């Protein structure tokens, strides 16, 4: 409402209103105008001008979107997944919630610029509950599950309308997909979701994905949109995943309380990363730094690089694209490190199959602990033999997904060929014993090779230590 009143009376805006309007300007010829972006104030365009000036001086630009060639993707149009959380979209104080309009405009403008330069973009956006609080005049985020679901239902339409208006001002159309974890449990359904998103991209539409908070149960939740974004990146075989947060980098400890905390610019091995993530988040969303690290590990497992950027500066995505999102480092000598934390993808011998991508999206219900020899065999792309398992934890049925553990650390995931009761009897048994119990013609493997996904790099097992 203040946006419309300010546009109708452009000469009587308060300083506060002018600050919130950010990149918008009025069009007096329309009684209720559609806001348009001011090119002279756009951080993307300013960044391009800075890059051009640096080239004339013989310096290396900090980022560029003039060509997707610098990105190094095999696709004609590289696919990027951007995840933005409630803390990047909204502001909160004693008076309640309000939309961070200037920041939202930067996000939309960044995506529009990327699309103009040949990238495909999928946006994973939180904010339904926060937007519902604004719509319903609530000053605090609800804690009751049923109330939260109702508020999310009210806020989701409000959130999409805001995106519709902002993207529409730049002549872009959006599509909404509300997803539950149950959509990923069945492989055919998982493939259907994947096909729908690809078709939206083919039509030039920007897919906006959110978890369906209005109908989800606790058992069917992804947990947070960081996880959903990572699984979407894995599902779509994306070229990169970007997670927006409220800090500039991932730190070794909480920089707000620990003066010795150091920023991590490039993480070579996300699967082995150990940092202190005990600090609380903004309180407006459900995720935190721990969930973002888990999301980065999930993406890395499937060979998808991940960037962590400050949500107040979404245009920093460009610095990652200029740097080059692979394990070979900067594609051009002198290119500075990205403006954020870059999680390198796990080395891959070849492309990750759809079946393994689907397995990564499944919830796990138990753990199987394996010995050193078995761990090395798994790293060498062999099946999981029952004789290499020395501990079975949890209850599961045949074809459930379980974690594969070695020395207390997850090293992979797999679909099991036996239920927990049978595997408890078969663990650690020799091949001859298994044959006598199961009989000839029966599978002796706990998990077939094609149903195993390694979540750590194979070189981690070159000098495996004995299990306790």
């Amino acid at each position: 409402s203040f946006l419309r009143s300010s546009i109708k009376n452009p000469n009587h805006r308060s300083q506060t209103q002018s600050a919130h309007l950010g990149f918008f300007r009025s069009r007096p010829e329309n009684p209720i105008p559609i806001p348009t972006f001011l090119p002279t104030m756009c951080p993307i365009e300013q960044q391009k001008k800075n890059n051009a000036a640096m080239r004339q001086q013989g310096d290396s630009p900090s980022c560029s979107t003039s060509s997707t060639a610098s990105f190094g993707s095999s696709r004609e149009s590289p696919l990027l997944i951007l995840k933005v959380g409630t803390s990047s979209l909204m502001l909160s104080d004693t008076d309640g919630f309000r939309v961070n309009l200037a920041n939202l405009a930067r996000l939309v403008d960044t995506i529009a610029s990327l699309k103009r330069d040949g990238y495909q973009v999928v946006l994973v956006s939180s904010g339904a509950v926060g937007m519902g609080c604004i719509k319903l005049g609530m000053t605090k985020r609800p804690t009751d599950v049923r109330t939260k679901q109702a508020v999310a239902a009210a806020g989701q339409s409000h959130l999409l309308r805001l995106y519709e208006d902002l993207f529409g001002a730049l002549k872009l159309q959006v599509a909404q997909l509300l997803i539950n974890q149950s959509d990923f449990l069945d492989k055919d359904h998982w493939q259907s979701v994947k096909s729908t998103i690809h078709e939206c991209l083919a039509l030039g539409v920007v897919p906006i994905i959110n978890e369906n908070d209005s109908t989800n149960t606790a058992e069917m939740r992804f947990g947070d949109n960081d996880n959903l974004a990572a699984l979407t990146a894995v599902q779509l075989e994306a070229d990169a995943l970007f997670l927006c947060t409220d800090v500039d980098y991932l730190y070794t400890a909480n920089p707000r309380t620990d003066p010795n905390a150091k920023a991590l610019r490039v993480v070579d091995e996300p699967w082995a990363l150990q940092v202190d993530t005990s600090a609380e988040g903004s309180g407006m969303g459900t995720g935190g730094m721990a969930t973002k690290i888990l999301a980065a590990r999930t993406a890395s497992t499937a060979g998808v690089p991940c960037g962590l950027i400050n949500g107040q500066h979404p245009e920093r995505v460009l610095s990652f694209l200029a740097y080059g999102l692979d394990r070979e480092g900067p594609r051009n000598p002198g290119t500075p490190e990205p403006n954020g934390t870059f999680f390198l993808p796990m080395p891959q011998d070849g492309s990750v199959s759809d079946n393994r991508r689907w397995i990564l999206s499944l919830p796990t219900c138990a753990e199987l602990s394996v010995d050193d020899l078995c761990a090395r065999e798994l790293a060498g792309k062999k099946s999981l033999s029952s004789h290499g398992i020395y501990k079975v934890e949890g209850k599961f049925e045949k074809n459930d997904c379980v974690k594969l553990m070695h020395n207390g650390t997850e090293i992979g995931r797999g679909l099991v060929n036996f239920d927990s009761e049978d595997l408890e009897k078969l663990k650690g048994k020799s091949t001859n014993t298994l044959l006598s119990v199961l009989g000839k013609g029966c599978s002796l493997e706990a998990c077939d090779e094609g149903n195993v996904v390694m979540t750590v790099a194979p070189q981690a097992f070159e000098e495996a230590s004995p299990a306790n």
Side-chain angles (χ1 to χ4, degrees):
S1 59
F2 86 82
L3 176 60
R4 292 182 178 176
S5 63
S6 298
I7 292 174
K8 290 180 180 178
N9 302 282
N11 296 323
H12 295 88
R13 295 176 187 161
S14 68
Q15 292 181 351
T16 301
Q17 288 175 331
S18 297
H20 279 291
L21 285 174
F23 302 114
F24 295 105
R25 64 181 179 187
S26 63
R27 294 172 61 185
E29 66 274 16
N30 294 331
I32 303 180
I34 297 176
T36 58
F37 291 95
L38 283 171
T40 56
M41 298 181 66
C42 171
I44 303 295
E45 299 301 326
Q46 186 63 51
Q47 186 68 65
K48 291 182 178 180
K49 290 181 180 180
N50 293 343
N51 288 346
M54 294 178 70
R55 289 190 187 93
Q56 291 178 357
Q57 297 172 5
D59 297 330
S60 297
S62 60
C63 59
S64 171
T65 60
S66 59
S67 172
T68 57
S70 63
F71 180 62
S73 170
S74 59
R75 280 190 177 97
E76 181 178 348
S77 298
L79 174 59
L80 310 178
I81 311 298
L82 270 64
K83 184 268 175 179
V84 60
T86 304
S87 63
S88 299
L89 299 177
M90 310 191 70
L91 300 170
S92 176
D93 54 27
T94 55
D95 295 328
F97 298 92
R98 65 183 185 276
V99 178
N100 189 339
L101 193 57
N103 198 48
L104 188 56
R106 279 192 289 268
L107 172 68
V108 171
D109 195 44
T110 298
I111 293 174
S113 180
L114 289 169
K115 285 187 66 64
R116 285 194 299 271
D117 289 324
Y119 292 91
Q120 294 181 319
V121 182
V122 173
L123 176 62
V124 178
S125 175
S126 303
V129 175
M131 200 65 69
C133 289
I134 294 177
K135 185 175 182 178
L136 301 176
M138 303 173 68
T139 59
K140 294 184 178 180
R141 186 182 177 94
T143 56
D144 176 72
V145 174
R146 298 305 179 194
T147 304
K148 188 183 298 184
Q149 289 177 323
V151 172
Q156 185 62 42
S157 60
H158 204 55
L159 177 64
L160 186 66
R161 178 181 176 184
L162 190 58
Y163 277 126
E164 287 268 12
D165 290 343
L166 292 173
F167 277 104
L170 299 178
K171 300 181 179 180
L172 290 175
Q173 302 302 320
V174 300
Q176 175 181 258
L177 289 89
L178 299 179
I179 297 177
N180 297 325
Q181 191 177 63
S182 59
D183 295 322
F184 281 46
L185 296 181
D186 179 75
K187 190 174 181 181
D188 289 337
H189 205 170
W190 176 86
Q191 187 66 51
S192 178
V193 172
K194 176 180 178 179
S195 300
T196 298
I197 298 173
H198 277 305
E199 193 62 29
C200 287
L201 294 170
L203 293 172
V205 174
V206 178
I208 300 178
I209 300 174
N210 194 4
E211 186 167 8
N212 194 346
D213 292 325
S214 61
T215 61
N216 264 354
T217 61
E219 295 78 11
M220 286 293 100
R221 285 187 57 82
F222 286 99
D224 56 83
N225 271 355
D226 295 320
N227 185 37
L228 174 57
L231 295 180
T232 300
V234 172
Q235 177 189 47
L236 300 178
E237 304 176 57
D239 293 287
L241 165 67
F242 295 99
L243 304 173
C244 292
T245 184
D246 56 359
V247 293
D248 291 326
Y249 306 99
L250 171 66
Y251 293 86
T252 54
N254 183 4
R256 298 186 179 96
T257 59
D258 188 346
N260 296 319
K262 296 181 180 179
L264 300 176
R265 302 294 295 269
V266 178
V267 179
D268 293 324
E269 299 180 345
W271 57 90
L273 180 65
Q274 293 184 352
V275 294
D276 180 11
T277 59
S278 59
E280 294 183 0
S282 65
M284 287 192 287
T286 58
M289 191 56 70
T291 65
K292 289 171 176 57
I293 293 175
L294 289 175
R297 287 172 174 166
T298 298
S300 174
T301 296
V304 179
C306 179
L308 188 71
I309 61 174
N310 192 320
Q312 302 298 317
H313 305 282
E315 66 277 2
R316 291 182 179 179
V317 167
L318 309 182
S319 66
F320 286 81
L321 305 182
Y323 184 79
L325 295 176
D326 54 36
R327 297 193 62 85
E328 298 176 1
R331 309 189 69 81
N332 299 308
T335 302
E337 291 181 331
N339 291 325
T341 298
F342 177 27
F343 298 88
L344 292 174
M346 185 187 296
Q348 303 289 334
D349 294 336
S351 61
V352 181
S353 67
D354 259 8
N355 189 57
R356 287 192 168 97
R357 292 178 184 276
W358 172 61
I359 291 173
L360 276 175
S361 72
L362 297 175
T364 57
C365 54
E367 296 180 357
L368 304 180
S369 296
V370 302
D371 59 28
D372 295 341
L373 176 60
C374 187
R376 287 194 292 269
E377 288 178 344
L378 289 172
K381 295 188 174 182
K382 293 184 179 180
S383 299
L384 172 60
S385 300
S386 302
H387 66 74
I389 301 172
Y390 64 86
K391 182 190 280 187
V392 176
E393 293 184 273
K395 299 293 184 180
F396 52 88
E397 300 296 328
K398 181 179 179 180
N399 294 324
D400 277 349
C401 185
V402 299
K403 290 183 180 180
L404 308 180
M405 310 293 292
H406 177 252
N407 289 345
T409 300
E410 180 186 343
I411 62 170
R413 298 185 184 186
L415 301 183
V416 288
N417 292 329
F418 306 98
D419 60 29
S420 54
E421 185 177 344
D422 288 340
L423 196 54
E424 182 68 40
K425 299 174 182 177
L426 300 175
K427 68 179 185 182
K429 298 294 190 297
S430 66
T431 301
N432 290 334
T433 302
L434 290 174
L435 285 172
S436 63
V437 173
L438 299 173
K440 293 183 179 181
C442 292
S443 174
L444 304 181
E445 315 297 347
C447 299
D448 295 326
E449 182 273 330
N451 289 332
V452 172
V453 184
M454 298 303 294
T455 56
V456 298
Q459 58 264 30
F461 304 99
E462 291 178 357
E463 297 181 0
S465 57
N468 295 326

